[in-house]
Amino acid sequence: MGLKSIYGLTMEQLTDWLVEKGQKRFRAEQVWDWLYKKRVRNFSDMKNVNKETIELLQENFVIETLEEEIKQVSKDGTVKFLFKLADGNLIETVLMRFNYGLSVCVTTQVGCNIGCTFCASGLLRKSRDLDAGEIVEQIMKVQKHLDEQGKDERVSHIVVMGIGEPFDNFTNLINFITVVNDEKGLKIGQRHITVSTSGLAHKIYEFADTGLQVNLAISLHAPNNELRTSIMKINRAFPIEKLMKAVDYYLENSNRRITYEYIMLKDVNDHEEEALQLAKLLRSKRHLSYVNLIPYNSVEEHGQYQRSETNVIQAFHEVLKKNGINSGVRWENGADIDAACGQLRSKQIKKQSIV
């Protein structure tokens, strides 16, 4: 794959590396400023950095490894990027506009092994993890896109909800968070970052122990084991009882609210019975729970699933509300482009295989 992206180093790692190579500590701050504040594309553009340091960086790292393959722009301002990695693999990154700021959804793996039966991301199996630099660079690519628009806009929020299971790439995930959160760099607050997991219980314990103030979202999608296992095979390894035990540990240690993602599948998980079961499941922790009801984005390859009717979604929401569970409906961004996670990537790979 060639040289790795320098974006993969935290400030501490960069400092240690430069000192080990005989450079002064302050060089790390200079380099960091050029990378994240001035956002240069070449080491040679770092004007106040000495020649020896520049040469060291050029010999060992690159700044950019991602190449923009496709960019889709929605009427609502959502921008979906398909990036080609140095090894030719494709990943997706999405810029979304909200009243509270600009949010970017990043990918953490090439493909996904979780195997949710409704999801476009899992159509192609995981071939590898992204390194921290490849995850950070997604943010940098989007920020540079914004810089080019000349409107003085910045990425203010991040959701780690793209292709892959973030907790299955734990070390690179934590390094990514450390880099984008750094006060001297992008300065994206931990509370403005949300990480979504399909429910790797053992990693929820580990995440709780980091002490990070990052938001946690859990892709639940069903309130009982039988139904959840039928649509999410991860439930075989981490059934709801095991998952909720990890949730309790996280809540005890962080006292931070968890968002439960619940995709609304017509005649599958959208009945009053499931709404009541979900309310019962979360009742003891409802003060730190929020349920995100997500209308399903249809995927050609998963034709067995359709989106629940709007009145059914509203009725489900009402049942939760009557039972004291905070919830809302998350209508999708970018409805006029390939909105479902993994959809654009899947389409492009199909096209390439036909040619």
Side-chain angles (χ1 to χ4, degrees):
M1 279 181 65
L3 300 178
K4 285 199 170 185
S5 169
I6 194 167
Y7 291 135
L9 296 182
T10 65
M11 178 62 158
E12 185 180 354
Q13 291 167 344
L14 177 62
T15 304
D16 290 347
W17 186 85
L18 284 170
V19 169
E20 191 182 293
K21 298 292 183 183
Q23 302 303 302
K24 301 289 186 186
R25 296 182 70 85
F26 75 87
R27 294 295 179 201
E29 287 198 20
Q30 288 180 324
V31 171
W32 198 263
D33 184 68
W34 282 105
L35 287 173
Y36 296 105
K37 290 284 181 69
K38 299 183 177 72
R39 296 192 271 278
V40 295
R41 296 177 184 271
N42 299 290
F43 292 119
S44 57
D45 292 333
M46 298 179 174
K47 301 302 180 189
N48 63 341
V49 180
N50 66 325
K51 187 181 175 186
E52 187 184 350
T53 302
I54 295 288
E55 288 175 353
L56 263 175
L57 294 172
Q58 288 172 332
E59 288 165 12
N60 290 277
F61 303 102
V62 289
I63 295 180
E64 297 187 332
T65 63
L66 272 58
E67 184 183 326
E68 187 182 299
E69 187 90 346
I70 294 174
K71 179 166 66 183
Q72 294 182 337
V73 183
S74 168
K75 287 180 287 190
D76 65 14
T78 300
V79 184
K80 189 163 216 180
F81 299 87
L82 187 71
F83 292 124
K84 183 189 283 186
L85 303 172
D87 62 2
N89 278 303
L90 300 173
I91 60 167
E92 289 180 8
T93 308
V94 185
L95 168 66
M96 298 166 287
R97 293 181 176 273
F98 297 102
N99 56 8
Y100 54 75
L102 300 181
S103 182
V104 175
C105 179
V106 298
T107 283
T108 54
Q109 296 178 318
V110 178
C112 184
N113 279 347
I114 298 303
C116 300
T117 59
F118 51 80
C119 182
S121 294
L123 289 170
L124 297 154
R125 305 290 289 168
K126 172 190 154 184
S127 58
R128 71 174 177 88
D129 291 328
L130 296 189
D131 63 38
E134 290 170 319
I135 310 174
V136 172
E137 193 179 344
Q138 292 172 64
I139 300 297
M140 297 307 297
K141 283 283 193 186
V142 175
Q143 184 57 62
K144 287 172 183 177
H145 160 79
L146 292 170
D147 292 343
E148 287 165 5
Q149 307 304 303
K151 296 177 182 175
D152 197 27
E153 294 181 312
R154 65 179 286 268
V155 175
S156 59
H157 292 69
I158 295 171
V159 288
V160 189
M161 293 183 183
I163 299 166
E165 164 55 63
F167 280 180
D168 191 33
N169 190 11
F170 197 84
T171 301
N172 287 316
L173 170 70
I174 299 304
N175 281 344
F176 159 73
I177 292 169
T178 303
V179 171
V180 297
N181 175 238
D182 193 280
E183 283 286 313
K184 293 177 179 175
L186 294 177
K187 205 177 175 180
I188 298 172
Q190 288 187 20
R191 294 184 182 208
H192 287 181
I193 301 171
T194 300
V195 176
S196 176
T197 177
S198 59
L200 274 61
H202 62 304
K203 289 297 181 180
I204 293 174
Y205 288 100
E206 197 174 338
F207 192 63
D209 290 340
T210 65
L212 290 170
Q213 295 293 294
V214 170
N215 304 309
L216 177 63
I218 295 175
S219 295
L220 190 60
H221 306 315
N224 64 70
N225 281 323
E226 184 181 2
L227 181 55
R228 193 165 191 262
T229 300
S230 73
I231 61 176
M232 299 179 72
K233 69 177 184 180
I234 192 70
N235 199 67
R236 294 179 198 143
F238 302 105
I240 287 174
E241 298 79 20
K242 193 178 279 190
L243 176 57
M244 287 301 147
K245 196 173 176 185
V247 161
D248 289 338
Y249 180 85
Y250 176 85
L251 294 175
E252 285 166 19
N253 283 269
S254 71
N255 200 39
R256 293 186 57 72
R257 188 180 79 169
I258 293 177
T259 296
Y260 299 90
E261 308 283 352
Y262 196 98
I263 204 152
M264 300 297 292
L265 302 170
K266 185 178 180 180
D267 298 329
V268 176
N269 64 351
D270 61 355
H271 310 97
E272 182 181 7
E273 179 187 0
E274 281 92 39
L276 290 168
Q277 288 175 359
L278 181 57
K280 184 179 179 183
L281 181 68
L282 300 178
R283 187 165 295 145
S284 65
K285 49 185 76 63
R286 63 181 179 273
H287 62 297
L288 288 172
S289 297
Y290 182 83
V291 177
N292 224 344
L293 300 175
I294 308 167
Y296 180 58
N297 271 319
S298 297
V299 178
E300 188 181 313
E301 293 86 349
H302 296 315
Q304 73 272 36
Y305 295 119
Q306 285 84 42
R307 172 182 294 199
S308 300
E309 302 291 344
T310 301
N311 63 317
V312 172
I313 296 173
Q314 296 295 356
F316 198 99
H317 174 54
E318 285 301 317
V319 171
L320 293 178
K321 199 161 74 172
K322 283 177 187 172
N323 283 272
I325 306 298
N326 289 321
S327 67
V329 180
R330 188 181 85 197
W331 298 103
E332 79 273 27
N333 292 69
D336 55 329
I337 56 178
D338 294 299
C341 181
Q343 199 169 22
L344 176 57
R345 174 176 177 260
S346 176
K347 279 187 181 180
Q348 186 65 11
I349 289 173
K350 266 192 200 169
K351 281 181 190 173
Q352 290 174 347
S353 66
I354 292 168
V355 171

